[in-house]
Coordinates of all heavy atoms in Angstrom, one line a residue:
D494 N -125.2 82.8 84.2 CA -124.1 82.5 83.3 C -123.3 81.3 83.9 O -123.2 81.1 85.1 CB -123.1 83.7 83.3 CG -123.6 84.8 82.3 OD1 -123.4 84.5 81.0 OD2 -124.1 85.8 82.6
P495 N -122.7 80.6 83.0 CA -121.8 79.5 83.4 C -120.5 79.9 83.9 O -120.1 81.1 83.8 CB -121.7 78.6 82.2 CG -121.8 79.6 81.1 CD -122.7 80.7 81.5
F496 N -119.8 79.0 84.5 CA -118.4 79.4 85.1 C -117.4 78.3 84.7 O -117.8 77.3 84.1 CB -118.5 79.4 86.6 CG -119.2 78.2 87.3 CD1 -118.5 77.0 87.4 CD2 -120.5 78.3 87.8 CE1 -119.1 75.9 88.1 CE2 -121.1 77.2 88.4 CZ -120.4 76.0 88.5
R497 N -116.2 78.6 84.9 CA -115.1 77.6 84.7 C -114.4 77.3 86.1 O -114.2 78.2 86.9 CB -114.0 78.2 83.8 CG -114.5 78.6 82.4 CD -114.9 77.5 81.6 NE -113.8 76.7 81.2 CZ -113.5 76.3 80.0 NH1 -114.4 76.6 79.0 NH2 -112.5 75.5 79.7
V498 N -114.2 76.0 86.3 CA -113.6 75.6 87.6 C -112.1 75.9 87.5 O -111.4 75.5 86.5 CB -113.8 74.1 87.8 CG1 -113.1 73.6 89.1 CG2 -115.3 73.8 87.9
V499 N -111.6 76.6 88.5 CA -110.2 77.0 88.5 C -109.4 76.0 89.3 O -108.3 75.6 88.9 CB -110.0 78.4 89.1 CG1 -108.5 78.8 89.3 CG2 -110.7 79.4 88.3
S500 N -110.0 75.6 90.5 CA -109.2 74.6 91.3 C -110.2 73.9 92.2 O -111.3 74.4 92.5 CB -108.2 75.3 92.2 OG -108.9 76.2 93.1
R501 N -109.9 72.6 92.6 CA -110.6 71.9 93.6 C -109.6 71.5 94.7 O -108.6 70.9 94.5 CB -111.2 70.6 92.9 CG -112.1 69.8 93.9 CD -112.7 68.6 93.2 NE -113.8 68.9 92.3 CZ -115.1 69.0 92.7 NH1 -115.4 68.7 93.9 NH2 -116.0 69.3 91.8
N502 N -110.0 72.0 95.9 CA -109.2 71.7 97.1 C -107.7 72.2 96.9 O -106.8 71.6 97.3 CB -109.2 70.2 97.5 CG -110.6 69.7 97.7 OD1 -111.4 70.5 98.3 ND2 -110.9 68.5 97.3
G503 N -107.6 73.4 96.2 CA -106.3 74.0 96.0 C -105.4 73.3 95.0 O -104.3 73.7 94.8
K504 N -106.0 72.3 94.3 CA -105.3 71.6 93.2 C -106.0 71.8 91.9 O -106.9 72.6 91.8 CB -105.2 70.1 93.6 CG -104.4 69.9 94.9 CD -104.3 68.4 95.2 CE -103.6 68.2 96.5 NZ -103.6 66.7 96.8
A505 N -105.6 71.1 90.9 CA -106.2 71.2 89.6 C -107.6 70.8 89.6 O -108.0 70.0 90.5 CB -105.4 70.4 88.6
P506 N -108.5 71.2 88.7 CA -109.9 70.8 88.6 C -109.9 69.2 88.5 O -109.0 68.6 88.0 CB -110.4 71.4 87.3 CG -109.6 72.6 87.2 CD -108.2 72.2 87.7
G507 N -111.0 68.7 89.0 CA -111.2 67.2 89.0 C -111.5 66.7 87.6 O -111.7 67.5 86.6
P508 N -111.6 65.4 87.4 CA -111.8 64.9 86.0 C -113.2 65.2 85.5 O -113.4 65.1 84.2 CB -111.7 63.3 86.3 CG -112.0 63.1 87.7 CD -111.4 64.4 88.4
F509 N -114.1 65.6 86.3 CA -115.5 66.0 85.8 C -115.8 67.4 85.9 O -116.9 67.8 85.8 CB -116.5 65.1 86.5 CG -116.2 63.7 86.7 CD1 -115.9 63.1 87.9 CD2 -116.1 62.9 85.5 CE1 -115.5 61.8 88.0 CE2 -115.7 61.5 85.6 CZ -115.5 61.0 86.9
D510 N -114.7 68.3 86.1 CA -114.9 69.7 86.3 C -114.6 70.5 85.0 O -114.6 71.8 85.1 CB -114.0 70.2 87.4 CG -114.3 69.7 88.7 OD1 -115.4 69.2 89.0 OD2 -113.4 69.6 89.6

Side-chain angles (χ1 to χ4, degrees):
D494 277 285
F496 51 77
R497 301 290 293 226
V498 177
V499 176
S500 65
R501 183 178 285 270
N502 302 324
K504 300 179 181 180
F509 313 115
D510 293 337

